[in-house]
Amino acid sequence: MSDHALNHLNPSQQEAVNSDCPHILVLAGAGSGKTRVLVERIAWLVQKNLASPMEIMAVTFTNKAAKEMLGRLDNLLNIPAKGLWVGTFHGLAHRFLRQHYETADLPQGFQILDSDDQIRLIKRLEKEMNLDDERFPPKQAQWFINNQKENGRRAAHIQPNGEYFTEVMLSIYQQYETFCQRNGLVDFTELLLRCHETLRDNSDLLAHYRKRFRYLLVDEFQDTNTLQYAWLRLLAGEDNHLFAVGDDDQSIYSWRGAKIENIHRFSQDFPDTQTIRLEQNYRSTETILSAANALIANNDQRMGKQLWTKGNPGTAIENYAAFNEFDEAIFICERMIQYQNQGIPLNEMAILYRANALSRVLEEALNRANLPYRIYGGHKFFSRAEIKDALAYLRLINFPNDDPSFERIVNHPPRGVGHATIDKIRDFASINQLSLWNASKQLIAEKSLPGRANNTLSQFVQLIEDLKEQNMDQELGEQTKSILLVSGLMDHFQQDRSEKGQAKVENLHELITATQQFAPDPNSLVSPVDEFLAHVTLDTGDDEPSTEQCIQMMTLHSAKGLEFDVVFIVGLEDGLFPHNMCLETPAQLEEERRLCYVGITRAKKHLTLTHAEQRRMNGRDMFHRPSRFLKEIPQYLLQDIRVRNRRTASSAKPYAHRSNYLPSTSVIDNTGLQLGQTVNHPKFGSGTIINAEGSGESARVQVQFDQYGTKWLVLQYANLS
DNA sequence: TGCTTATGATTTTTT
DNA sequence: ATCATAAGCA
């Protein structure tokens, strides 16, 4: 970095960037320039010739953070940061395993299971083991397995403790481990654990990597779990340099294994650690910072930090007590329009909520107000059912022994291979230690299935064989396209005329585009298909930069790391935020408070907090008290907002009937009817059309009647008016 | 076999 | 209210 750039760093930042100390822990408050310090540190190492890019590894949690870091480095260093390893824990471990798959005892084409696949597999194993999945919920087994792995424990290492439940969990873990190993499947935690074990048990390999990566840098250190920390320590060894950046006040992921203790342990595990605090905030107004500081001061378990700013006090934090959630939403829309008139662009405004369920009412209000918005998070593109179906075809064609994929698509779209047949395949496969694919082929060859099942299954096998044949030398994009058409998957979703069905078709088209645009790495060790499949399970791909002028909506969790001129935090009610499920222990409440702290510190200029006195949740009207966090913010920072005409229950609920808001595109072929339309039936009275299928004489519609429930009616005979 | 209806549970999320 | 999964029926 140039000396010019150094001048723009404050003393603490500068100290962190060019410290000679081998181990550095940077406690970086919100908005204190944490990413910048990380990037400048790397630039400094390279430009002072302390390290070549080859000797540096930088680890992040999300692909987004990794990409941003790489981008900034490119800018700063002016040379492509060649040889530099920047990536997520999982991405780097994956890279390692692909390179050393033999040493790691994995097949070359090992596949990655995402947590969906993991659950599916556990369910299947429980069934095979004749376990009741009510007593032993697959979710819990999943948690058990991941937790054991995060603590480095293989099934064989665990001593049965005499408790029946634990022993069952352990036996599931055993089966799961065996199955994955036999079939070359690796779940997310396994990527790291396997990498850790391989390094630990191969001293020459470990020596090589320790020698290579003399400088290790970690972002969001407060989010590391036990395994990730162990992995870092292993790589660091005695001699390497470890630079960790984190903020204990922003630790909000303990519920998925993050160990805030890792920050506390750091200076014990690395005795000569220099701890540097970044407390000057460059983001928010003084008012917003004071609120954040006051709130977080209520937590006992802190390393202690006090953010300050040279900035102006800014405007007061607005506090609005809404009558109900509709009133809350309308209020927010009005305020946003006001801010927009003040010249603040829409993409500088964000609405943050504790739970995704809260977004619906807000969306409706934004639609009515003609305010464009974008929702972050939620269902990631590559994890949507229809996309995973398509990917399963791609996977099975290239790796016929991939059982999870086989199971997913053997009867999807429905082709007459039912439960009974699948059960037989499974049994046969598990008795003979075959993959479902090979089991199917053998069963067909032996003709040991009932005629009809034999037929339908052969057709499926033939379908896959055909696709395999014709795809041998096709481009990935072409492959995907023909898979979707030939398999009938596209057709299947096209049958569904509802809005959701149409969205799925669009998603499939988007997938085709994604495969067409995918640029395989020319240096890759695996095939483009394989690379693409790993890419989609490791990178959720939801970080397209949003340059569009849209209001940003997301959960408080996914807001971490972002900033906006204007922030609205909604649903500040006891029971919702802090959430009911997080009130059991003081530690949980403290995490909720940190979450609130994260939310507040996202705001640069204006912050508005809202709560509703009445809120309909899970079909019931709830009356929550204002959040206790509101009381923890000093009154003088808050300004209560009153609305001139207090909205009544009816005026605050202007769109209770959704039917008017369905798009007009859902016209049913040649019937003059459309989805969402209200119709009258001679016998069942009035109702709303909620679905339709077929055309001409076989056209049917599904109607939700006001009094008789939902019914499918053949249009020809229904006599609707 | 596969569609329809009934039942149950519902924080947060990356990889 | 809404969604997913499971049992039940055509």
Side-chain angles (χ1 to χ4, degrees), chain A residues 428-655:
Chain A
F428 190 78
S430 100
I431 291 168
N432 298 296
Q433 307 273 316
L434 294 169
S435 66
L436 295 175
W437 171 255
N438 286 329
S440 304
K441 285 179 83 163
Q442 205 157 321
L443 282 170
I444 291 166
E446 294 172 6
K447 295 203 170 20
S448 36
L449 288 171
R452 208 167 89 187
N454 190 69
N455 256 338
T456 50
L457 186 62
S458 327
Q459 275 169 29
F460 174 69
V461 170
Q462 196 55 47
L463 170 73
I464 299 299
E465 296 277 21
D466 286 351
L467 283 168
K468 218 171 15 176
E469 189 104 352
Q470 96 188 67
N471 279 316
M472 280 309 254
D473 32 46
Q474 268 184 317
E475 295 263 310
L476 182 60
E478 288 309 302
Q479 239 187 88
T480 313
K481 205 170 180 176
S482 52
I483 284 172
L484 291 180
L485 296 179
V486 178
S487 69
L489 198 64
M490 189 64 100
D491 256 0
H492 173 71
F493 289 118
Q494 264 162 357
Q495 300 289 305
D496 184 350
R497 309 316 291 322
S498 72
E499 214 179 330
K500 278 184 190 154
Q502 297 308 302
K504 288 181 181 190
V505 173
E506 270 174 45
N507 284 335
L508 289 178
H509 282 298
E510 219 177 298
L511 175 69
I512 295 176
T513 313
T515 51
Q516 283 167 342
Q517 290 173 349
F518 181 70
D521 177 357
N523 303 318
S524 172
L525 301 163
V526 293
S527 71
V529 188
D530 209 354
E531 201 189 330
F532 180 75
L533 290 171
H535 170 255
V536 298
T537 51
L538 283 176
D539 186 350
T540 48
D542 71 324
D543 46 73
E544 327 98 58
S546 116
T547 45
E548 324 137 66
Q549 290 289 303
C550 296
I551 290 157
Q552 317 286 310
M553 294 174 69
M554 67 197 82
T555 62
L556 286 143
H557 280 91
S558 37
K560 192 168 72 150
L562 305 176
E563 58 177 32
F564 311 92
D565 282 347
V566 176
V567 168
F568 292 80
I569 303 179
V570 307
L572 272 153
E573 294 141 46
D574 255 29
L576 228 187
F577 191 27
H579 199 282
N580 260 332
M581 313 208 84
C582 300
L583 296 172
E584 278 158 36
T585 67
Q588 283 182 318
L589 181 64
E590 293 211 349
E591 180 147 318
E592 291 287 285
R593 191 176 281 114
R594 289 194 292 269
L595 188 57
C596 189
Y597 174 81
V598 167
I600 291 174
T601 52
R602 296 312 93 196
K604 292 199 267 191
K605 297 178 182 158
H606 307 288
L607 176 64
T608 303
L609 309 174
T610 66
H611 65 277
E613 289 161 6
Q614 179 183 353
R615 184 185 297 277
R616 204 167 169 80
M617 287 176 69
N618 304 341
R620 295 214 152 275
D621 279 321
M622 306 291 284
F623 298 85
H624 291 126
R625 327 208 67 182
S627 172
R628 63 193 73 187
F629 298 149
L630 277 174
K631 297 182 198 86
E632 294 173 1
I633 298 172
Q635 269 304 308
Y636 75 93
L637 298 171
L638 291 175
Q639 182 188 2
D640 288 332
I641 302 297
R642 284 172 225 293
V643 174
R644 301 71 44 194
N645 306 316
R646 200 154 213 279
R647 294 179 182 90
T648 61
S650 59
S651 74
K653 247 191 240 189
Y655 37 90

Side-chain angles (χ1 to χ4, degrees), chain A residues 22-316:
Chain A
H23 303 124
I24 300 159
L25 175 62
V26 181
L27 294 176
S32 63
K34 145 185 97 79
T35 310
R36 185 156 173 232
V37 164
L38 214 41
V39 170
E40 301 267 359
R41 168 75 180 178
I42 294 174
W44 185 77
L45 290 172
V46 172
Q47 289 180 339
K48 294 281 171 186
N49 282 321
L50 291 162
S52 92
M54 292 278 287
E55 298 175 308
I56 300 174
M57 178 192 278
V59 198
T60 62
F61 275 84
T62 64
N63 290 293
K64 190 172 157 190
K67 277 175 207 157
E68 184 180 342
M69 201 183 288
L70 267 177
R72 289 215 218 173
L73 276 171
D74 262 356
N75 268 340
L76 218 57
L77 291 173
N78 259 338
I79 43 162
K82 205 168 184 300
L84 187 82
W85 279 37
V86 178
T88 64
F89 279 100
H90 300 264
L92 294 171
H94 177 238
R95 187 165 165 183
F96 173 89
L97 290 177
R98 286 283 178 216
Q99 212 143 40
H100 304 288
Y101 64 94
E102 273 174 304
T103 322
D105 192 23
L106 286 169
Q108 184 166 24
F110 71 85
Q111 294 294 299
I112 305 168
L113 290 179
D114 68 17
S115 43
D116 250 25
D117 304 330
Q118 198 183 17
I119 284 276
R120 218 174 261 273
L121 176 54
I122 291 168
K123 267 191 192 157
R124 175 185 158 189
L125 293 174
E126 285 198 20
K127 209 171 247 175
E128 256 172 45
M129 296 164 74
N130 282 317
L131 290 171
D132 177 7
D133 60 2
E134 300 251 311
R135 271 185 80 189
F136 308 103
K139 271 250 167 71
Q140 207 150 347
Q142 180 190 34
W143 184 86
F144 179 88
I145 292 170
N146 290 341
N147 192 253
Q148 297 302 333
K149 288 192 183 185
E150 274 167 23
N151 285 291
R153 289 191 287 266
R154 292 296 183 183
H157 301 153
I158 304 168
Q159 291 298 315
N161 68 353
E163 238 178 86
Y164 182 59
F165 185 82
T166 317
E167 303 212 340
V168 172
M169 286 293 145
L170 183 52
S171 63
I172 297 173
Y173 183 15
Q174 257 152 5
Q175 292 294 114
Y176 176 86
E177 201 173 51
T178 313
F179 185 92
C180 288
Q181 183 59 28
R182 184 175 303 141
N183 296 286
L185 298 170
V186 173
D187 63 42
F188 286 138
T189 315
E190 183 74 30
L191 285 169
L192 272 159
L193 178 56
R194 189 67 70 107
C195 182
H196 183 265
E197 287 173 344
T198 307
L199 282 168
R200 185 196 60 196
D201 301 338
N202 295 277
S203 47
D204 43 335
L205 209 54
L206 179 59
H208 170 263
Y209 277 97
R210 276 188 176 165
K211 203 167 165 217
R212 166 154 184 192
F213 294 120
R214 292 174 45 237
Y215 287 86
L216 302 168
L217 300 97
V218 204
D219 193 14
E220 306 279 17
F221 186 64
Q222 77 282 351
D223 286 338
T224 50
N225 64 30
T226 308
L227 179 55
Q228 289 159 339
Y229 185 48
W231 187 82
L232 284 171
R233 286 177 63 189
L234 186 67
L235 275 173
E238 297 287 319
D239 306 321
N240 291 330
H241 301 72
L242 188 50
F243 186 92
V245 183
D247 181 0
D248 56 322
D249 288 333
Q250 292 189 72
S251 157
I252 53 175
Y253 286 114
S254 75
W255 51 272
R256 67 175 197 218
K259 289 275 186 302
I260 197 170
E261 297 91 307
N262 290 345
I263 286 199
H264 306 140
R265 285 182 50 185
F266 190 90
S267 32
Q268 289 154 33
D269 292 338
F270 300 96
D272 40 7
T273 293
Q274 179 184 13
T275 301
I276 298 167
R277 285 179 163 73
L278 304 183
E279 299 178 295
Q280 181 174 1
N281 175 292
Y282 295 94
R283 180 186 293 156
S284 311
T285 65
E286 196 177 22
T287 303
I288 292 167
L289 269 194
S290 303
N293 280 333
L295 178 87
I296 203 67
N298 290 285
N299 274 4
D300 286 332
Q301 298 298 313
R302 295 183 66 212
M303 300 191 79
K305 248 187 295 87
Q306 186 81 6
L307 294 184
W308 60 277
T309 175
K310 283 183 185 164
N312 58 26
T315 58

